[in-house]
Amino acid sequence: SSGINAEYGEQEVTQYLDKFQDYQHRAEMYYVYQTLHRYTEEPFTSHLPEALFNMARFLLHHLAQEIPYGVSKVSILYALAKQSKNMGAYKMARHAFDKLQQLCIPRHFQEAIDLSSITIRSKPFQDKEELLPMCSKCSTTNPLLNQMGNQCINCQQPFVHSFYAFEVLPLVEFIPEHGISDADALKLINQDPVNAPGGTGSKWQERDQGDVQTMSFETSAPAQNDGDTFEARLQNYEALASYQPVEVGATILRNMPRAQVVILKWAPPLRFQFYRNLMPDIILDTCDSCNRIFYADDLELQYLQKQACPFCRKAVAEQAQEAES
């Protein structure tokens, strides 16, 4: 990153990074909107109702900042209202129908929206509890309509979504302590945990007693970490004025199971992003090209159907060639 700063200057680098973040944000919105637009205009869709509901919520929270060119707020709110009503999120459905009544609605939607706006008033004024997203970092249950946007109302951690089903993933972001580079953190995470079987805490012992030779597998006492674990740091979390990822040291990094860590390897001058999966039974995978996170089954299915990532459309063959080189 120092070489990039020397070549372009710190101010130019900051401008380019701001543009990068803006383009990433717009790409996500257009990617999601394409599916919702097809849902409202075409008779069939390959996405489940839950996915359409999650996509509409995702877009609605992002529209609070800016509405990109070509994106119809009517299509988003209509998809959200329809799926919210079907899934029992009646409070969210009322909000969407009320917002729709303030917009210029296309004629072919008018009758359906007017009728649904009346019938929704016979439903309870609340959302089903199982639909409410929970923050993995502070365990706060969040409302479906979040005035703060796509982040927790308590700790302000941004929600991380699977970029096909768009469900909120059980991930908590963490960063290495000051002085630990991304490369060093990666090496520590890839090492065998100190207290794991087969790690540095266990070894074979051979004994020769004349006519009898024996070998035994002895495990030394686990190394003491004074209770300094990732889970302990989550429990000791204190709400701050602004969002701060969990900061961890070398010992915690070394003891993290590699299968429970999701790493987004951004190119310099950006830093890597590290996430801890708090539900190891949920298997996640990432696209090495765009650094989007998916359920492993969803990404594998998309690779088989389209031979490319659904978000960046980078071909699987190209990704494999780059990985080998």
Side-chain angles (χ1 to χ4, degrees):
S1 60
S2 58
I4 296 177
N5 289 336
E7 182 178 353
Y8 291 100
E10 187 173 345
Q11 186 174 359
E12 284 185 283
V13 170
T14 302
Q15 291 177 353
Y16 287 138
L17 288 178
D18 289 342
K19 282 187 177 181
F20 171 78
Q21 297 295 345
D22 180 51
Y23 293 154
Q24 288 277 315
H25 177 72
R26 290 172 183 269
E28 291 177 353
M29 296 187 70
Y30 281 124
Y31 166 73
V32 178
Y33 179 71
Q34 179 189 24
T35 301
L36 292 181
H37 178 72
R38 286 181 174 178
Y39 166 69
T40 57
E41 298 295 334
E42 298 177 3
F44 303 105
T45 178
S46 60
H47 287 79
L48 295 173
E50 293 85 354
L52 295 170
F53 173 72
N54 293 330
M55 289 180 182
R57 282 188 57 249
F58 177 87
L59 268 185
L60 185 66
H61 287 140
H62 281 73
L63 287 180
Q65 304 172 11
E66 178 189 7
I67 302 179
Y69 176 78
V71 172
S72 169
K73 200 170 184 180
V74 171
S75 297
I76 298 169
L77 288 171
Y78 180 62
L80 178 62
K82 193 173 179 180
Q83 295 304 327
S84 297
K85 184 179 179 181
N86 293 338
M87 296 180 63
Y90 300 121
K91 184 178 179 180
M92 172 64 85
R94 287 181 182 226
H95 172 80
F97 281 123
D98 289 344
K99 289 292 184 183
L100 280 169
Q101 295 295 340
Q102 302 172 16
L103 302 175
C104 183
I105 303 172
R107 186 172 300 175
H108 60 284
F109 287 154
Q110 187 72 57
E111 184 177 352
I113 291 174
D114 289 343
L115 180 61
S116 296
S117 298
I118 296 174
T119 56
I120 192 63
R121 300 184 184 280
S122 65
K123 303 296 182 181
F125 194 76
Q126 60 185 6
D127 300 321
K128 285 186 176 180
E129 288 188 9
E130 57 264 28
L131 296 176
L132 303 178
M134 189 184 74
C135 175
S136 298
K137 184 177 181 181
C138 64
S139 300
T140 299
T141 300
N142 285 255
L144 290 176
L145 183 61
N146 192 339
Q147 300 296 333
M148 298 182 65
N150 192 39
Q151 63 184 28
C152 175
I153 57 175
N154 181 37
C155 68
Q156 302 179 41
Q157 172 174 275
F159 290 120
V160 184
H161 296 266
S162 164
F163 257 72
Y164 187 76
F166 274 84
E167 294 180 2
V168 176
L169 298 175
L171 298 177
V172 175
E173 186 177 7
F174 65 90
I175 56 175
E177 288 181 348
H178 181 71
I180 302 177
S181 66
D182 291 340
D184 292 338
L186 197 57
K187 289 180 182 178
L188 290 168
I189 293 171
N190 287 329
Q191 290 179 9
D192 290 332
V194 174
N195 298 331
T200 57
S202 56
K203 56 185 177 180
W204 286 98
Q205 294 288 340
E206 182 179 357
R207 292 185 177 87
D208 189 351
Q209 300 175 352
D211 295 336
V212 180
Q213 294 179 339
T214 61
M215 292 188 69
S216 61
F217 189 76
E218 296 185 358
T219 303
S220 59
Q224 299 297 321
N225 54 19
D226 298 326
D228 188 16
T229 63
F230 187 82
E231 291 75 13
R233 296 206 174 188
L234 277 184
Q235 292 176 358
N236 295 331
Y237 162 78
E238 295 181 2
L240 301 174
S242 59
Y243 167 66
Q244 292 291 336
V246 179
E247 191 171 309
V248 298
T251 303
I252 296 179
L253 289 171
R254 191 181 298 110
N255 287 327
M256 279 189 184
R258 179 63 182 90
Q260 298 178 21
V261 179
V262 177
I263 305 174
L264 306 182
K265 300 178 181 178
W266 298 102
L270 295 174
R271 296 290 302 270
F272 287 3
Q273 281 184 285
F274 299 90
Y275 292 95
R276 175 73 180 268
N277 183 0
L278 299 187
M279 299 180 66
D281 292 341
I282 298 178
I283 303 175
L284 305 175
D285 201 355
T286 59
C287 171
D288 294 334
S289 175
C290 62
N291 282 324
R292 293 305 182 277
I293 306 173
F294 302 85
Y295 288 124
D297 291 343
D298 288 343
L299 186 59
E300 183 178 1
L301 180 61
Q302 290 300 304
Y303 279 166
L304 291 173
Q305 290 180 343
K306 302 178 180 178
Q307 289 77 48
C309 169
F311 180 77
C312 66
R313 302 180 185 178
K314 186 72 172 289
V316 179
E318 292 182 29
Q319 294 190 40
Q321 290 177 358
E322 291 180 359
E324 290 176 358
S325 59

